[in-house]
Amino acid sequence: MKVLEQYIFHRILVQSAAAAAASLGIVWVVQALTKVNLVTDTGQSIGSFLYLSLLILPAIVPIVMPFAVLIGTAQTLNTMNTDSELAVIHGVGTPKIMIYRPVMIVAAIAAGITLFFGNFIEPSARQTARQLVSDARADLLSLLIQEGSLRPIATNLYMQVSKRGEGGILSGLFIADSRDPALDMVYYAKEGSLLKRDEANLLLMTDGEIHRRA
């Protein structure tokens, strides 16, 4: 590229990058706020929330890049026109292609970034995010963080513990199971613990009783 093309290219690139960063920040905050329920509903840590929020970014990049290039190009050309730079460029007989070429190069770079994120980064990030949300909702320990409150485990299935001790020992368990329309089950136990067998979460309760009501 010639000096003039390098000058225009650099200005458009900087303006597009700034527009992309600002747009990504705004859209990312809006999308991340929709995931706050992961923390409030499952008791996950703030680290899990931030990690899940970062996994949203690859899906936003392909949407933001075209608008960022458009904003960067319009801002650059408008500034050059206001400062009479375009008038001087046209006045000395500079071919228009020298103005168009930097714009096309920036657009090609943005297209390459969009293609890379959309086809390689975003599918993997989306799968990881789905797995993270699935694990958080399937993790019963996260549902029991708030001691002394009756928490929904599933539809018509509620659980409450009075205390969670060291080693995952639960004290004062109460479970109300109304998933079967024909039978209500109520479980009481002094102690319990969570086990994982064959990728299934199991709750082992000791020193308790079961009440059935048809």
Side-chain angles (χ1 to χ4, degrees):
M1 290 188 295
K2 297 182 179 180
V3 176
L4 177 60
E5 292 177 322
Q6 292 179 355
Y7 171 73
I8 298 175
F9 170 78
H10 180 265
R11 293 191 62 170
I12 294 177
L13 186 64
V14 171
Q15 292 286 352
S16 299
S23 302
L24 278 173
I26 295 173
V27 178
W28 177 70
V29 170
V30 173
Q31 293 294 321
L33 290 177
T34 63
K35 305 298 181 182
V36 173
N37 63 326
L38 179 69
V39 177
T40 58
D41 292 347
T42 65
Q44 293 295 304
S45 64
I46 188 64
S48 298
F49 169 70
L50 293 177
Y51 180 54
L52 179 62
S53 300
L54 290 176
L55 294 174
I56 301 174
L57 284 176
I60 302 175
V61 172
I63 301 174
V64 168
M65 290 305 297
F67 297 99
V69 173
L70 178 62
I71 294 173
T73 302
Q75 180 67 23
T76 299
L77 295 180
N78 182 67
T79 303
M80 293 180 66
N81 182 61
T82 303
D83 297 339
S84 301
E85 292 177 319
L86 290 180
V88 174
I89 292 173
H90 291 305
V92 297
T94 303
K96 293 183 178 180
I97 189 63
M98 295 188 66
I99 299 176
Y100 299 154
R101 188 180 292 119
V103 177
M104 298 304 297
I105 293 176
V106 174
I109 294 175
I113 295 175
T114 300
L115 181 66
F116 177 74
F117 272 85
N119 291 276
F120 297 99
I121 305 299
E122 194 272 336
S124 177
R126 183 175 65 250
Q127 181 64 30
T128 304
R130 288 179 178 176
Q131 186 63 41
L132 181 63
V133 174
S134 177
D135 292 344
R137 291 177 177 173
D139 187 5
L140 292 180
L141 277 174
S142 64
L143 297 172
L144 302 176
I145 291 180
Q146 296 184 4
E147 300 173 352
S149 62
L150 194 64
R151 305 280 294 180
I153 306 298
T155 303
N156 296 325
L157 179 62
Y158 298 87
M159 184 174 184
Q160 178 181 351
V161 294
S162 59
K163 184 179 179 181
R164 214 179 86 188
E166 297 181 358
I169 301 299
L170 308 174
S171 302
L173 285 87
F174 169 81
I175 299 177
D177 186 359
S178 302
R179 291 175 295 178
D180 187 352
L183 184 65
D184 289 337
M185 305 285 290
V186 177
Y187 302 82
Y188 300 93
K190 290 185 177 180
E191 288 188 354
S193 60
L194 290 166
L195 306 175
K196 194 165 186 178
R197 298 283 177 84
D198 298 330
E199 299 184 356
N201 291 314
L202 303 178
L203 176 61
L204 177 64
M205 294 183 289
T206 58
D207 195 6
E209 56 186 33
I210 303 174
H211 294 264
R212 298 179 179 87
R213 183 178 66 178

